[in-house]
Amino acid sequence: MNKVNTAQLQEWAEKIHDNALNKGFYNKQKNLYFTHNQRLEIIKELCEFHDAWKKDNQKYKEELADVVIRILDYVYYQGYKIDGSSFLSEITEKEIYTISREVYFLISYVKDDWYMPVIFRCFQLATYLNFDLIQEIENKMQYNTTRPYLHGNKI
């Protein structure tokens, strides 16, 4: 459970970004506003994960998948390299003092444009919380293909 490699992350990133393009979430021109908005969306997803987890809502699994999906889309859009080797997520309770603390640090990584550690840590969190993040991501990617154009959002 939760073993993923960079080739799989790259494949997901391409599919996620292609779907976002097809759903109207990208204009043709990169600009600073759009880049900041994307980063805020990643932070928003981290906060939604935290909120669902705090409320003991099983939706936290889907929210953590959304974090990875948003990051992969952003990384692909920006042309950043998806790097790192194959990894198996292992985490102990000693490493995570609280989920709240973990989310706080992940947000600081996003603010600093440091994305791969956030992805890796999301997989570690899923292992710690005992769920299959790979399956959650694949389920959410499939669901996203069925959503309407912009599905009520503006860019």
Side-chain angles (χ1 to χ4, degrees):
M1 178 166 68
N2 290 320
K3 184 171 182 164
V4 68
N5 61 45
T6 54
Q8 185 173 20
L9 292 174
Q10 183 64 42
E11 180 183 329
W12 283 347
E14 291 173 25
K15 286 180 180 178
I16 290 163
H17 189 71
D18 285 347
N19 187 60
L21 284 170
N22 291 335
K23 300 298 180 178
F25 284 102
Y26 286 88
N27 54 26
K28 295 183 182 188
Q29 189 175 16
K30 284 187 183 183
N31 63 54
L32 193 55
Y33 163 78
F34 190 69
T35 298
H36 286 205
N37 186 63
Q38 286 180 301
R39 292 167 72 189
L40 285 171
E41 290 294 327
I42 295 166
I43 292 168
K44 181 187 86 173
E45 294 296 349
L46 280 163
C47 293
E48 288 175 0
F49 158 74
H50 180 256
D51 189 53
W53 176 81
K54 256 183 14 181
K55 293 176 180 172
D56 204 23
N57 180 338
Q58 289 298 303
K59 190 174 170 150
Y60 73 83
K61 298 172 185 179
E62 180 182 329
E63 296 299 347
L64 196 59
D66 284 340
V67 171
V68 176
I69 287 169
R70 290 267 188 194
I71 291 173
L72 289 174
D73 181 40
Y74 178 74
V75 165
Y76 190 84
Y77 173 72
Q78 293 296 339
Y80 296 159
K81 183 177 188 229
I82 294 177
D83 57 5
S85 59
S86 210
F87 64 92
L88 176 62
S89 301
E90 291 181 22
I91 197 162
T92 64
E93 195 163 339
K94 186 176 180 183
E95 290 175 325
I96 293 186
Y97 300 105
T98 67
I99 297 294
S100 300
R101 177 183 175 273
E102 189 69 17
V103 169
Y104 175 82
F105 283 112
L106 292 179
I107 288 170
S108 70
Y109 293 162
V110 170
K111 287 173 29 187
D112 291 336
D113 257 351
W114 205 34
Y115 296 100
M116 292 313 295
V118 177
I119 291 174
F120 296 155
R121 201 65 175 172
C122 285
F123 280 93
Q124 291 173 324
L125 275 167
T127 299
Y128 175 74
L129 295 169
N130 198 29
F131 73 93
D132 187 350
L133 184 56
I134 292 170
Q135 189 61 55
E136 291 291 331
I137 291 169
E138 290 175 347
N139 291 346
K140 187 63 185 247
M141 286 172 59
Q142 179 59 40
Y143 171 71
N144 285 346
T145 65
T146 68
R147 298 177 89 173
Y149 191 82
L150 287 179
H151 51 276
N153 293 300
K154 60 182 177 180
I155 57 172

